[in-house]
């Protein structure tokens, strides 16, 4: 290897081959994945995000939630994702085309969030409580509190905020004050509440379910 | 040719003198970033067992401080030290002085400005949340431009070389320096300029991250090992004739490993399979490199600080390669994926393999640039000891705790509260490990800036090889 050009051309070819072989091929394969129109209800799935939820996605990025949370449910024979009720089914690539940016995550210091809104106990109030004082709904967690997503302010008599958190006991604000989620908290909650892949695509199900074993000796 | 050729000593001193200020500026910036990034990393680690730590301050919330630390360490410490080391070594091995070094200093300043803005951007809420591409988009061109200037210098120095042959370290440096701008540009374009849709974004990010570690940082560490071991031990690289095979094979196979990071995820299965196959094929170059470098080390007296750091780097390289291969296998990934073990893999690549090699390189290079010895050998011993202890403690902690975490995650009846409770002592041990490393970083920092200011020429042979006065420094240590 006396010639610098050999190394130059070789490295260039390697990077180009890996780009074309992995990224370009994958892009050609499913970069144009489209919504699936259900013939029965006429909806195109996945349903698009609301504007508020899309703003919440930006808050999710800004606060780095993906540092500790994944957003992918692996298939039945790959870990206990389904046993943990993190989803009714595995995640499909098609689920994600509704989001402008996708954060699959690579750490599960916290639970998976891909279907967080499908869990019975999760609603706006639960999420606000979790964000403001994690221990109020999840004792023993090491999730940090996000007090800066909330305003603690004095209640004007007769004009309490409808969004004020219903805290009692040790998490309650001082008497005469209320804890109200800021606009960012509302957006983030809207985004989290949009995470619900409950629609089961017939096309995907057919592709991802192993065929039933062939029956023998019957007619 | 199986060991770096020797120019005559006055030429070599001339080359070192031409590299002095650019390399010292890059190393100085690197050391400052190491302290900053290490502090942020420690904050993030403490928050895992004491979640209220700095939680009220939005800038330091865990989701921001953890990626900020990683970016400061990768782009601040990693790139500055790699370029400083790379420019110096490329000039030496090419027998060519670094010309117009002032431009390099300007480029280094702009690079550091870019990293500073980027890290501040992450902490103030402009993060993109894509791993290692979290920095806000407004720093992209600044980083690319200033990197281009420094990279072009390195490539030009190689092109203008006054040697007949090229040496393994030069190939690895060239490969690392040349592949980064392609990876970075393609990833930026496919994620931000003309974004791909859906989970393809995760594929692009995984491709970039694995390329940055595997084609960027690991080759720089190997360049250091291929240069310093024969140089300091005064013996040829064992089985050197295999080194070109290992080089091409390593680069080619590593370029295809990215998909294995997404095993089990909502992406086409062939991506993960290709990654697993590529990781399997990596066994060959890893074995060759081990034969080359451990073969050179075998039976040698390792009194030199540089050699001892590089030996740690090689152990970490082997461990990280093994872990990478294991993580691309379904049976292991079912338990280990998404746990502290994936974090351990990346940490071993960046810190265990790359950073230790740069520490070793700095201990060799800096005295040759400044013309006088390191100020304190006690601080060097402290750095080496703290690094060794920290490496062992963190590897054991993350490995063991990650495996336990994975087993508990796969046991659906174990609640997250129980998992957190079981992991808390391990998180504490991890913090202790990072504190040990921080002690080492502080020793390095103090020694580096103290040595820059001091004038303390060393006479006699009372000090180890790295501390001798310049003319004597090229003699292999006993």
């Amino acid at each position: 290897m006396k010639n610098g050009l050999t190394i130059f051309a070789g490295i260039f070819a390697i990077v180009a081959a890996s780009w074309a072989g992995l990224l370009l091929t994958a892009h050609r394969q499913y970069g144009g994945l489209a919504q699936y129109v259900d013939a029965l209800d006429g909806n195109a799935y996945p349903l698009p995000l609301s504007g508020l939820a899309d703003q919440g996605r930006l808050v999710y990025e800004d606060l780095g939630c993906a540092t500790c949370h994944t957003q992918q449910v692996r298939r039945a024979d790959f870990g206990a994702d389904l046993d943990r009720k993190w989803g009714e089914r595995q995640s499909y690539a098609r689920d994600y085309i509704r989001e402008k940016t996708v954060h699959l995550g690579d750490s599960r210091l916290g639970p998976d969030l891909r279907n967080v809104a499908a869990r019975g106990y999760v609603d706006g109030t639960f999420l606000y409580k979790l964000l403001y004082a994690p221990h109020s709904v999840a004792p023993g967690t090491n999730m940090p509190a996000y007090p800066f997503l909330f305003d603690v302010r004095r209640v004007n008599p007769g004009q309490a905020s409808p969004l004020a958190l219903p805290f009692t006991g040790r998490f309650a604000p001082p008497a005469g004050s209320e804890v109200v989620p800021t606009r960012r908290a509302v957006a983030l909650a809207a985004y989290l509440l949009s995470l619900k892949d409950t629609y089961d695509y017939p096309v995907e199900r057919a592709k991802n379910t192993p065929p039933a074993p062939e029956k023998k000796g019957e007619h | 040719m199986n060991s770096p050729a020797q120019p005559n000593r006055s030429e070599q001193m001339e080359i070192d003198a031409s590299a002095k200020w650019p390399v010292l500026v890059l190393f100085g910036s690197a050391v400052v970033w190491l302290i900053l990034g290490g502090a942020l990393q420690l904050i993030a680690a403490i928050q895992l067992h004491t979640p209220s730590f700095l939680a009220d301050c939005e800038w330091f919330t865990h989701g921001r401080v953890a990626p900020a630390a990683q970016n400061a360490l990768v782009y601040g410490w990693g790139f500055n030290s790699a370029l400083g080391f790379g420019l110096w070594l490329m000039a030496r091995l090419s027998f060519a002085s670094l010309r117009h070094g002032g431009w390099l200093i300007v480029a280094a300043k702009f690079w550091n400005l870019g990293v500073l803005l980027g890290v501040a951007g992450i902490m103030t809420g402009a993060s993109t949340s894509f791993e290692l591409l979290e920095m806000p988009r407004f720093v992209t061109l600044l980083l690319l431009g200033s990197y281009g200037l420094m990279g072009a210098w390195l490539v030009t120095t190689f092109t203008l070389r006054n040697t007949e042959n090229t040496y393994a370290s030069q190939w690895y440096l060239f490969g690392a320096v040349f592949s980064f701008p392609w990876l970075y540009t393609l990833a930026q374009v496919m994620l931000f300029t003309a974004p791909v849709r859906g989970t393809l974004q995760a594929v692009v990010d995984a491709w970039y991250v694995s390329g940055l570690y595997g084609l960027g940082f690991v080759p720089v560490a190997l360049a250091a090992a291929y240069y310093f071991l024969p140089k300091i031990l005064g013996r040829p690289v064992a089985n050197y004739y295999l080194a070109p095979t290992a080089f091409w094979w390593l680069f080619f196979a590593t370029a295809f490993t990215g998909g294995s990071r997404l095993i089990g995820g909502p992406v086409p299965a062939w991506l993960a399979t290709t990654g697993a196959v590529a990781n399997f094929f990596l066994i060959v170059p890893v074995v060759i490199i081990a034969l080359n470098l451990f073969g050179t080390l075998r039976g040698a007296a390792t009194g030199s600080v540089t050699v001892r750091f590089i030996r740690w780097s090689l152990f970490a390289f082997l461990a990280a390669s093994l872990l990478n291969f294991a993580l691309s296998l379904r049976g292991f990934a079912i338990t280990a994926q998404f746990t502290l073990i994936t974090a351990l893999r990346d940490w071993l690549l960046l810190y265990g393999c790359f950073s230790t090699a740069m520490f070793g390189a700095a201990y060799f290079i800096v005295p040759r640039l400044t013309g006088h010895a390191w100020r304190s050998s006690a601080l060097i011993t402290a750095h080496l000891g703290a690094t060794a202890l920290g490496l062992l403690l963190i590897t054991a902690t993350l490995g063991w705790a990650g495996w336990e975490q994975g087993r508990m995650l796969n046991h659906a009846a174990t609640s997250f509260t129980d998992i957190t409770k079981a992991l808390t002592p391990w998180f504490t041990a991890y913090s202790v490990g990072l504190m040990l490393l921080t002690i080492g970083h502080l020793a390095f920092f103090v020694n580096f800036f103290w040595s820059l200011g001091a004038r303390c020429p060393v006479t006699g042979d009372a000090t180890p090889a790295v501390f001798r006065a310049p003319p004597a420094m090229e003699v292999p240590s006993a």
Side-chain angles (χ1 to χ4, degrees):
Chain A
M1 290 209 278
K2 293 182 181 180
N3 195 343
L5 194 66
T6 318
I7 305 180
F8 179 87
I11 299 293
F12 187 81
I14 285 171
V15 175
S18 121
W19 175 72
L22 298 179
L23 302 192
L24 211 56
T25 310
H27 182 58
R28 282 181 60 98
Q29 182 187 355
Y30 77 115
L33 207 58
Q35 284 174 307
Y36 173 80
V37 180
D38 189 307
L40 290 178
D41 64 8
N43 283 335
Y45 292 95
L47 297 171
L49 256 75
S50 71
L52 189 61
D54 197 50
Q55 289 177 16
R57 177 182 58 80
L58 297 176
V59 180
Y60 189 91
E61 287 179 359
D62 143 19
L63 294 176
C65 305
T67 308
C68 298
H69 294 282
T70 54
Q71 276 195 33
Q72 47 179 318
V73 180
R74 297 178 299 180
R75 59 179 189 268
D77 61 348
F78 209 113
D81 299 18
L82 293 177
D83 297 339
R84 281 191 174 272
K85 307 264 185 285
W86 280 344
E88 295 165 9
R89 57 166 175 83
Q90 69 180 84
S91 298
Y92 303 135
R94 201 184 296 268
D95 292 328
Y96 297 84
I97 59 174
R98 65 191 197 118
E99 279 141 293
K100 274 194 202 127
T101 50
V102 170
H103 300 292
L104 296 182
D106 66 355
S107 170
R108 281 184 174 164
L109 288 174
D112 189 87
L113 296 181
R114 189 61 204 171
N115 285 288
V116 69
R119 288 167 211 165
Y121 54 90
V122 172
D123 58 10
T125 309
F126 174 87
L127 291 172
Y128 292 140
K129 283 177 152 180
L130 183 70
L131 289 167
Y132 180 73
H135 287 269
S136 65
V137 285
T141 180
N142 64 346
M143 173 166 158
Y146 295 86
F148 43 83
L149 291 179
F150 297 85
D151 287 331
V152 180
R153 62 189 187 204
R154 294 207 64 76
V155 191
N156 289 333
Q159 295 181 357
S161 163
L163 285 175
L165 303 192
F167 276 127
T168 50
R170 74 185 175 101
F171 299 105
S177 344
E178 58 183 2
V179 182
V180 185
T182 60
R183 201 181 149 65
R184 290 164 74 206
V186 174
L188 179 60
Y191 174 63
L192 292 172
L193 290 175
S194 82
L195 293 173
K196 188 158 78 170
D197 297 334
T198 40
Y199 180 75
D200 202 3
Y201 304 89
V203 272
E204 304 286 355
R205 191 174 55 229
K207 242 190 298 183
N208 288 284
T209 315
E214 233 174 271
K215 291 183 181 172
K216 284 176 187 167
E218 287 176 30
H219 294 282
Chain B
M1 191 189 92
N2 60 1
S3 64
Q6 304 279 340
N8 73 46
R9 203 146 285 149
S10 64
E11 274 173 10
Q12 202 160 46
M13 288 177 69
E14 198 179 303
I15 292 170
D16 281 357
S18 76
K20 179 176 177 180
W21 286 110
V23 174
L24 284 181
V25 166
L26 284 164
F27 274 170
S29 324
V31 177
V32 172
W33 279 114
L34 182 66
I35 299 290
L36 279 176
L40 293 175
Q41 197 180 26
L42 188 57
I43 292 173
I46 290 173
Q47 285 171 339
L48 292 179
H49 52 83
T50 314
S52 58
F53 183 62
L54 293 178
D56 292 351
C57 177
E58 188 170 357
W59 286 27
F60 288 93
T61 190
H62 185 76
R64 287 186 185 176
V65 84
Q70 194 64 9
N71 277 271
L73 289 173
V74 164
Y75 297 100
W77 152 251
F79 272 74
N80 277 304
S81 59
L83 283 165
F85 160 72
L87 285 164
W88 175 85
L89 185 60
M90 195 54 107
R92 261 210 173 185
L93 286 175
S94 304
F95 296 179
S97 52
L98 282 183
R99 294 163 208 195
H100 310 291
W103 286 102
L104 282 171
I105 298 179
V106 173
K109 294 288 172 204
F110 276 105
W111 173 268
N112 283 301
L113 178 68
V115 180
L116 186 67
L117 289 175
V119 171
I122 294 171
M123 295 183 72
T124 52
S127 165
T128 70
S129 256
F130 285 107
E131 188 179 0
L132 290 182
L133 294 166
E134 285 103 342
M135 291 191 184
R137 287 182 58 193
F138 57 77
V139 302
T140 305
L141 285 179
L142 187 56
L143 290 185
L144 211 52
S146 49
Y147 178 86
L149 198 53
M150 293 188 277
W153 237 256
L154 203 139
V155 172
T156 313
T157 309
F158 179 66
T159 315
L160 296 177
R161 67 191 177 279
N162 297 311
T163 55
E164 287 254 321
N165 271 303
T166 58
Y167 180 63
S169 298
Q170 284 169 298
W171 320 329
Y172 281 106
L173 276 181
F174 189 93
V177 167
F178 189 61
S179 36
F180 168 72
W182 294 111
L183 296 171
Y184 190 68
T185 310
L186 289 169
Q188 289 283 342
V189 168
M190 292 183 83
L191 284 177
F192 305 115
T193 316
V196 291
R197 291 168 73 226
T199 59
L200 272 169
Q201 295 175 354
V203 179
V204 174
D205 198 18
W207 177 79
Y208 173 74
V209 171
S210 105
L212 182 64
Y213 287 134
L215 304 178
F217 286 120
V218 168
V220 173
L222 292 176
Y226 269 106
Y227 180 74
F228 288 118
L229 293 185
K231 178 91 179 163
I232 295 174
L233 300 175
R235 45 165 76 176
V237 171
N239 302 310
Y240 182 74
Y241 68 97
L242 291 171
T245 314
F247 167 74
W248 288 114
W249 200 323
L250 182 90
F251 263 81
F252 187 75
T254 305
F256 287 87
T257 54
S260 67
R261 287 175 179 255
L262 297 171
I263 186 169
V267 297
W270 62 264
L271 281 165
T273 314
T274 314
V277 172
N279 270 313
F280 179 74
F281 274 107
L282 271 175
I283 291 175
V284 176
V286 169
V287 167
I288 295 179
I289 290 166
L291 282 177
N292 278 168
L293 299 172
F294 281 107
T296 312
L297 264 172
R298 195 172 53 203
T302 50
S304 154
V305 181
T306 302
V307 171
R308 289 163 79 177
F309 269 113
I310 286 187
R311 197 170 46 178
W312 281 109
S313 160
L314 290 177
F315 283 129
F317 168 68
L318 290 185
S321 304
L322 194 68
L323 202 50
N324 228 347
F325 177 50
L327 275 169
S328 66
L329 300 176
R330 183 172 162 275
F332 187 78
I334 281 182
T335 305
Q337 200 189 13
F338 305 142
T339 68
L340 296 172
I341 289 182
T342 39
L344 173 64
R345 178 251 317 265
D346 291 343
W347 181 80
L348 276 176
L349 288 170
L350 181 70
Y351 198 92
C353 178
F354 169 78
S355 299
T356 51
M358 289 304 104
F359 295 146
Y363 281 120
F364 186 91
I365 295 171
V366 173
R368 286 165 171 76
L369 299 180
T370 57
H372 50 83
W374 285 93
R375 190 72 179 81
S376 157
S377 54
L379 285 175
I380 296 181
T381 314
H383 186 192
L384 185 62
T387 306
L389 278 178
L391 275 171
L392 291 175
L393 180 63
I394 291 179
T395 307
T397 303
L398 292 186
W400 178 262
W403 190 253
E404 284 300 303
Q405 184 193 3
R407 283 181 31 175
M408 286 187 284
L409 280 170
N410 280 349
H411 186 250
T414 311
S415 72
F416 257 85
T417 315
D418 291 338
I419 298 179
T420 305
K421 206 169 145 193
L423 288 181
T424 301
W426 297 105
F427 288 145
T428 314
Y430 176 52
S431 292
V432 172
L434 286 179
M435 280 176 205
L436 276 171
L437 295 182
T438 307
I439 292 172
H441 298 166
L442 286 171
F444 183 45
F445 175 87
V446 170
N447 214 0
F448 180 83
F449 286 101
W450 199 7
S451 304
L452 280 191
R455 292 258 169 261
C456 45
V458 172
T459 51
D461 52 6
T463 42
V466 220
F467 313 116
R468 275 176 281 167
M473 279 191 287
E474 301 311 331
V475 183
S477 61

